[in-house]
Amino acid sequence: MTTGAGAGVCEAPDVSVVVAVYNTMPYLTRCLDSLVEQTIGQRRMEVLLVDDGSTDGSTEEIQRYAARHPGLFTTLRQPNSGGPAAPSNRGLEVAGGRYVFFLGADDHLAPEALERMVTMADNCGSDVLLCKMVPVGDRTVPTGVFTRTAPAIRLVGDGLPWALSNTKLFRRSLIEEHGIRYDETMPAFSDQPFVLEACVRASRISVLADQPHYFAVRRADSSNITYRAGPLTRLRCTERLFEATCRLLAPGPLRDAFHRRHFHVEVCQLFGPDFAALPPEERQAVCTGAARLISAYGDGVLERLDPPRRRTLELARRGEAEALAGRPAEAGPLRTLRHSALARWLRTPVRPLPRHPDTDPLDPRGTHPVRGADAVGG
């Protein structure tokens, strides 16, 4: 079902905002308010609200805003697909703007965000433009890539690998020229291959970082889809991230930089707060899957991780699921240990490696992406 009053508009809007919605009340109200308040004006933008089978009142909230602002909001409803990929693709199918921007239904924008992004993209000839994100609640956002406004940044070396969420402005002609779409078989992390391909194809990637533009919200109930996805689902989707990187980048420093990011974030998070509570057979399956990734993609990459994460992945490589279950939730200084042999091994100093200008361009501290970039996954 589609409703809206944008069909009679002859001139294409400057920007189409796609919002994939699934049970996001009460955060959705602030999200929609922020779109109504955009200074770019309703004649220069369109908002495509794709309701992925919500059951919590989000549908009614969408209908209420569409009725109050019929020239701004177009609504589409479909059965629940299990992830943000399908509703995001549905929005792309009907988008008519010169640019497209993806906004999380939990999140909201500063009033001048879209106007300033479109202006900079037009002035710089940007195919992809990142706007400065700030966290709301216990949400982690990238910081390294937002140290300065830049007309052009590199694929690696300016923090981009740590900022792979889809909360960016994309030139829609680039997306359509290359047929870039979300992988609907990925319940989590589906935005990362989409963003990576767009950035690889882009002639220019820009950053607007002089003030906060995007407010990333961590729900109080932690029900964003990346947090709901089980470890085996996240493991399967992480495998697809490595496959996408290999498909889009030739072997070498660029590919290694993105692989390092995947090990640092998604793979290590498999052994995070909930790992010890998993059934033993599931813990072992996660270890086996992580070991498979380490064997396939770890050469020349793992040694550039920080020591705690290297030790975590070494345990996973050796299949020591029970040892990992006995360590603290986060990969960091150990506070309690159940295995004295493991304790002695973890205390063994790890020789720091020299920094490599291409494959190790970032200090990961303070540059972590939105946890699970698909936080609808951040």
Side-chain angles (χ1 to χ4, degrees):
M1 178 181 69
T2 303
T3 63
V9 178
C10 296
E11 186 176 351
D14 285 330
V15 59
S16 300
V17 181
V18 176
V19 185
V21 181
Y22 177 68
N23 288 356
T24 52
M25 291 295 290
Y27 307 94
L28 179 62
T29 301
R30 182 70 188 91
C31 173
L32 300 181
D33 281 340
S34 77
L35 292 169
V36 172
E37 295 164 359
Q38 288 301 299
T39 60
I40 196 171
Q42 297 187 11
R43 287 189 296 179
R44 295 179 59 195
M45 63 182 287
E46 65 175 358
V47 180
L48 307 170
L49 302 173
V50 188
D51 182 359
D52 198 45
S54 296
T55 60
D56 72 333
S58 294
T59 300
E60 291 74 18
E61 190 74 341
I62 287 172
Q63 292 171 346
R64 185 168 73 89
Y65 274 79
R68 291 169 58 183
H69 307 278
L72 176 61
F73 293 106
T74 297
T75 67
L76 305 96
R77 181 170 170 81
Q78 62 187 32
N80 180 252
S81 65
S88 297
N89 282 339
R90 181 87 181 276
L92 276 175
E93 289 172 6
V94 300
R98 295 188 296 118
Y99 299 100
V100 61
F101 185 85
F102 296 93
L103 174 61
D106 313 285
D107 305 332
H108 54 272
L109 296 174
E112 296 180 353
L114 293 176
E115 182 179 17
R116 299 188 77 236
M117 281 189 277
V118 168
T119 297
M120 182 173 180
D122 283 344
N123 290 341
C124 296
S126 314
D127 287 324
V128 179
L129 186 143
L130 291 72
C131 66
K132 185 170 185 175
M133 304 175 69
V134 294
V136 178
D138 185 22
R139 179 84 171 259
T140 308
V141 301
T143 58
V145 73
F146 296 125
T147 56
R148 62 187 176 91
T149 291
I153 64 170
R154 298 166 291 176
L155 194 63
V156 167
D158 295 307
L160 183 62
W162 305 91
L164 289 181
S165 70
N166 65 347
T167 53
K168 299 170 176 59
L169 190 76
F170 300 91
R171 188 178 299 276
R172 195 169 64 85
S173 60
L174 175 81
I175 301 300
E176 296 305 323
E177 176 185 354
H178 297 283
I180 305 173
R181 289 296 186 269
Y182 294 83
D183 184 345
E184 297 185 15
T185 68
M186 295 177 66
F189 313 143
S190 63
D191 55 348
Q192 293 190 41
F194 179 95
V195 171
L196 177 60
E197 182 167 3
C199 290
V200 168
R201 309 290 188 195
S203 297
R204 175 166 294 203
I205 306 167
S206 305
V207 177
L208 180 59
D210 61 333
Q211 64 188 51
H213 293 89
Y214 191 105
F215 298 89
V217 179
R218 173 75 181 270
R219 298 191 206 178
D221 61 358
S222 300
S223 60
N224 310 67
I225 190 165
T226 298
Y227 300 98
R228 297 197 314 265
L232 294 179
T233 296
R234 287 185 280 122
L235 173 64
R236 176 171 60 84
C237 292
T238 299
E239 291 180 300
R240 305 297 288 275
L241 297 182
F242 284 100
E243 292 168 3
T245 306
C246 290
R247 174 172 57 86
L248 293 165
L249 296 170
L254 290 181
R255 181 192 286 183
D256 287 348
F258 283 91
H259 281 181
R260 176 188 169 218
R261 177 241 178 264
H262 297 328
F263 279 115
H264 182 104
V265 182
E266 281 82 20
V267 178
C268 282
Q269 284 182 356
L270 291 170
F271 305 100
D274 299 327
F275 182 74
L278 296 176
E281 62 275 10
E282 193 167 349
R283 289 200 296 264
Q284 195 60 55
V286 171
C287 265
T288 299
R292 185 168 60 248
L293 294 177
I294 293 166
S295 175
Y297 306 110
D299 286 350
V301 177
L302 294 191
E303 56 263 35
R304 301 199 177 276
L305 297 176
D306 59 87
R309 286 177 174 81
R310 287 160 57 189
R311 290 163 177 154
T312 294
L313 296 183
E314 175 60 19
L315 287 174
R317 184 190 66 78
R318 288 157 41 179
E320 298 190 25
E322 295 312 305
L324 283 165
R327 47 169 314 187
E330 297 291 340
L334 295 180
R335 295 182 296 274
T336 60
L337 289 169
R338 296 181 190 169
H339 304 273
S340 58
L342 174 63
R344 290 193 298 273
W345 180 68
L346 287 173
R347 287 196 296 267
T348 303
V350 178
R351 180 175 59 87
L353 292 170
R355 181 181 180 275
H356 189 286
D358 293 318
T359 60
D360 199 19
L362 301 170
D363 177 354
R365 292 171 297 178
T367 60
H368 300 172
V370 172
R371 255 194 208 111
D374 237 339
V376 176

